[in-house]
Amino acid sequence: MAIEEIEMELLEARVPDQVARLIETSSRDWARFFADYDDRQAPRFVPSVPELVFSALEEVTQRNLPPNRVFCEWGSGFATAACMASLLGYKAYGIEIEEELVRRSRAIARRLRIPVEIICTSMFPKGYNSYPGVDRAELVRPASFSDPNHPDSR
């Protein structure tokens, strides 16, 4: 399945009460988490606007765009997006490498009774690594990787 761009206009709309509670709880716990750790200890954090994330998830769901109702959030942090997907009826997963974030995200989901599976592991396949790229992390392939489409492989 190829990745394709989906045209949509997202507006920060009112979210259902259960989603609002999730956003409040996650925001409060993020503030506590960063108060407990200084910049050297805290993992990289890419902020989002949770109301827009929910709006996008709701839009693709209403338009019946996903081929199934399975959602995976890579580098899930507190798994807010995965929890939102669960609330929209998806079988939702979060993948997070930081044990403390996994512990906290599982606690939030449990406290709010949101069925989501948060897995403590790397999102990179075994043998792969990453390095800081120009504007994001770049994937480093293992030495044993061979690309059948590479000109040297023909």
Side-chain angles (χ1 to χ4, degrees):
M1 166 192 256
I3 295 175
E4 63 182 85
E5 189 172 336
I6 300 170
E7 292 288 328
M8 66 175 67
E9 184 177 337
L10 297 176
L11 303 173
E12 198 172 326
R14 177 167 151 56
V15 296
D17 290 344
Q18 194 173 18
V19 174
R21 277 193 302 281
L22 169 64
I23 292 169
E24 278 178 38
T25 302
S26 294
S27 295
R28 193 172 45 249
D29 282 15
W30 270 118
R32 281 190 207 123
F33 177 78
F34 282 109
D36 292 344
Y37 294 90
D38 62 28
D39 288 338
R40 292 182 332 281
Q41 294 175 311
R44 281 192 306 186
F45 174 66
V46 179
S48 66
V49 178
E51 293 81 3
L52 286 177
V53 172
F54 182 78
S55 182
L57 285 169
E58 189 174 48
E59 177 76 12
V60 298
T61 301
Q62 287 175 352
R63 288 169 55 184
N64 205 30
L65 295 176
N68 56 42
R69 291 292 188 261
V70 178
F71 180 89
C72 183
E73 181 181 12
W74 293 354
S76 59
F78 278 14
T80 306
C83 286
M84 289 178 187
S86 177
L87 292 172
L88 287 167
Y90 290 78
K91 174 69 178 157
Y93 299 88
I95 297 176
E96 176 57 56
I97 197 167
E98 297 289 334
E99 290 180 24
E100 180 61 14
L101 294 178
V102 170
R103 186 188 71 71
R104 289 176 185 234
S105 61
R106 287 175 178 164
I108 289 170
R110 198 172 34 254
R111 190 164 59 239
L112 298 176
R113 295 187 170 96
I114 299 173
V116 63
E117 186 172 342
I118 300 145
I119 302 162
C120 187
T121 190
S122 173
M123 64 184 168
F124 295 118
K126 185 175 180 164
Y128 284 73
N129 206 339
S130 69
Y131 69 93
V134 175
D135 61 352
R136 62 192 159 309
E138 299 292 335
L139 187 63
V140 178
R141 294 178 173 150
S144 63
F145 178 84
S146 64
D147 181 355
N149 297 318
H150 191 277
D152 292 342
S153 299
R154 293 184 185 150

